[in-house]
């Protein structure tokens, strides 16, 4: 018993040490993100653009693994990978994919990743690589002309989902239990009816997200209400809740979600047309998406991507074509910290954040 007790005390000490280290790193990152630029003695945090060498590509798919490794997926069937913090990028695009539009990528590490191509019918496809993009296997090709896949999300390295716009009045869900090597369409019985005109937005790879082993959320727009659908059983059954983000038009709704746990989530969106205003472009939930309230000070314009800073309960970034916004109070208020154009954002456990967008833009948050 003494040995067992000693072992437990040592394990608690190790955990305490790890938690303290994470806390120090998180505090430093938060201090950097929230530093005032006018009075700061060092340069304020900013997006450091990394030259991808692909100015004609728009990257809406982004999977950040850590400070050094990130994957991008975009137009023209393009997939890029960096393992040196963006100093250099390898074009690891699947062969024969030049006509495809990749909108989402989910990466498990520097070697293993899954990419989603969007579009009607056979344009919607999924590919997987296990060797850093040297070879790819097509693991799914949509054969239903009525389906249009938008986003993917993974619970862990094996279990994941992909979602399609409504088919016969209900959103369609694909499921994998082998890391994206094979997929099956889930029964539609547990999916509530879609609203007239309702669909997802393939704008940032964040219209479908997961947190924990079984919870997933799906963002919608285009219908009378912008909704978030929630599943607690890996996509078998769903409940729907209205958000406060305006909808009622094919260009309006929730474009991206981020959940830091199964209760606390953020939604961003608006109207993606550049000549239209986007009031109430962000909302927050504290009950897993059952209820949403408008941010007291939302981003000033449409936002297509959002991500929590890891290990933080209050800090997140939102991005869009007109800028990047920061919240330090859990999504209640946002302030613009950059005016560059980005479509998607992702942060990693080692406290690095990446963004990507039009004209081949990719960036990492740096001081």
């Amino acid at each position: 018993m003494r040995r067992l007790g000693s072992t437990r005390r040592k394990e608690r000490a190790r955990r305490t040490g790890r938690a303290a280290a994470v806390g120090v790193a998180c505090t430093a990152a938060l201090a950097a993100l929230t530093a005032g630029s006018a009075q700061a003695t060092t340069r304020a945090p900013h997006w450091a653009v990394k030259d991808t060498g692909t100015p004609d590509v728009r990257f809406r798919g982004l999977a950040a693994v850590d400070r050094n490794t990130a994957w991008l997926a975009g137009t023209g069937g393009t997939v890029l990978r960096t393992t040196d913090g963006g100093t250099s990028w390898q074009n690891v695009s699947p062969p024969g994919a030049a006509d495809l539009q990749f909108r989402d990528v989910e990466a498990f590490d520097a070697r293993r990743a899954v990419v989603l191509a969007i579009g009607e019918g056979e344009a919607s496809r999924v590919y997987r690589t296990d060797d850093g993009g040297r070879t790819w296997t097509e693991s799914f090709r949509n054969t239903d002309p009525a389906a249009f896949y938008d986003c993917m999300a993974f619970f862990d390295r094996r279990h994941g989902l992909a979602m399609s716009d409504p088919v016969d009045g209900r959103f369609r869900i694909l499921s994998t239990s082998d890391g994206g090597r094979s997929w099956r369409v889930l029964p539609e019985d547990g999916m509530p009816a879609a609203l007239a005109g309702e669909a997802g937005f393939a704008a940032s790879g964040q219209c479908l997200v997961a947190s924990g082993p079984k919870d997933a959320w799906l963002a919608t727009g285009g219908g009378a209400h912008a909704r978030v659908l929630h599943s607690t059983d890996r996509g078998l059954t769903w409940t729907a809740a209205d958000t406060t983000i305006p909808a009622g038009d094919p260009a309006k709704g929730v474009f991206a979600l981020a959940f830091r746990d199964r209760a606390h989530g953020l939604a961003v969106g608006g109207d993606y047309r550049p000549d239209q205003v986007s009031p109430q472009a962000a909302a927050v939930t504290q009950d897993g998406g059952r209820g949403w309230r408008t941010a007291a000070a939302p981003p000033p314009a449409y936002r297509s991507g959002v991500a929590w800073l890891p290990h933080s309960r209050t800090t997140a970034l939102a991005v869009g074509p007109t800028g990047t916004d920061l919240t330090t109070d859990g999504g209640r208020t946002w302030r613009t910290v950059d005016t560059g154009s980005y479509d998607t954002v992702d942060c990693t456990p080692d406290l690095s954040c990446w963004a990507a967008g039009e004209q081949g833009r990719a960036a990492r948050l740096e001081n």
Side-chain angles (χ1 to χ4, degrees):
M1 292 297 293
R2 289 193 188 94
R3 290 179 181 175
L4 181 58
S6 176
T7 299
R8 287 174 174 169
R9 284 193 296 272
K10 290 178 180 178
E11 178 59 25
R12 283 196 297 269
R14 282 194 293 269
R15 290 177 180 174
T16 301
R18 286 196 296 268
V22 168
V24 170
C26 186
T27 299
L30 285 171
L33 281 168
T34 57
S37 58
Q39 291 79 25
T41 58
T42 60
R43 187 177 182 183
H46 65 286
W47 288 119
V49 177
K50 310 295 182 178
D51 184 11
T52 66
T54 56
D56 296 329
V57 178
R58 186 164 196 164
F59 293 112
R60 294 184 184 272
L62 166 65
V65 177
D66 53 38
R67 182 170 180 78
N68 294 315
T69 304
W71 297 70
L72 303 175
T75 55
T78 306
V79 179
L80 302 186
R81 184 190 69 144
T82 183
T83 56
D84 57 13
T87 301
S88 63
W89 295 85
Q90 301 84 46
N91 188 328
V92 296
S93 306
D99 294 332
L100 300 179
Q101 305 293 314
F102 289 126
R103 295 291 180 93
D104 200 355
V105 55
E106 303 290 331
F108 307 116
D109 50 41
R111 295 178 58 80
R112 291 171 288 185
V114 182
V115 294
L116 171 72
I118 68 153
E120 296 177 349
E122 292 192 359
S124 286
R125 306 178 193 179
V126 178
Y127 295 80
R128 175 176 167 119
T129 182
D130 290 294
D131 55 13
R134 286 195 294 272
T135 62
W136 293 87
T137 300
E138 182 184 308
S139 59
F140 172 78
R141 181 179 297 203
N142 174 47
T143 58
D144 188 335
F148 186 116
Y149 285 86
D150 297 295
C151 298
M152 295 185 299
F154 277 80
F155 304 96
D156 51 44
R157 290 174 179 262
R158 295 178 55 202
H159 300 91
L161 304 175
M163 59 81 69
S164 164
D165 288 339
V167 177
D168 296 328
R170 299 177 189 272
F171 286 94
R172 177 169 290 180
I173 304 296
L174 280 181
S175 176
T176 179
S177 58
D178 55 12
R181 294 180 178 88
S182 64
W183 298 83
R184 66 184 181 96
V185 176
L186 293 181
E188 66 175 21
D189 300 352
M191 177 64 69
L195 303 176
E198 190 175 28
F201 292 108
S204 61
Q206 296 176 324
C207 61
L208 178 69
V209 300
S211 180
K214 294 185 178 181
D215 285 88
W217 294 264
L218 186 162
T220 83
H225 305 282
R227 302 197 298 174
V228 171
L229 280 61
H230 179 206
S231 173
T232 60
D233 53 14
R234 292 182 180 162
L236 292 175
T237 60
W238 299 79
T239 56
D242 292 347
T243 72
T244 57
I245 294 179
D249 184 280
K252 294 180 180 179
V254 179
F255 282 71
L257 298 168
F259 277 78
R260 64 174 175 81
D261 54 39
R262 68 192 311 263
H264 298 86
L266 303 170
V268 299
D271 189 324
Y272 70 76
R273 294 170 293 192
D275 60 340
Q276 299 295 312
V277 297
S278 289
Q280 300 176 303
V284 60
T285 182
Q286 295 181 331
D287 59 9
R290 290 190 297 273
W292 294 85
R293 67 177 187 276
T294 303
Y302 155 72
R303 294 295 181 252
S304 56
V306 63
W308 289 95
L309 187 74
H311 315 300
S312 172
R313 298 175 61 86
T314 57
T315 303
L317 294 166
V319 299
T322 63
T324 298
D325 302 293
L326 170 72
T327 180
T328 57
D329 56 14
R332 288 187 292 276
T333 62
W334 296 82
R335 63 182 177 91
T336 302
V337 294
D338 185 271
T339 57
S341 174
Y342 296 99
D343 292 312
T344 186
V345 61
D346 195 16
C347 296
T348 66
D350 65 352
L351 296 170
S352 66
C353 292
W354 294 77
E358 61 183 339
Q359 298 179 344
R361 289 170 62 87
R364 191 178 66 185
L365 195 67
E366 297 179 1
N367 282 338

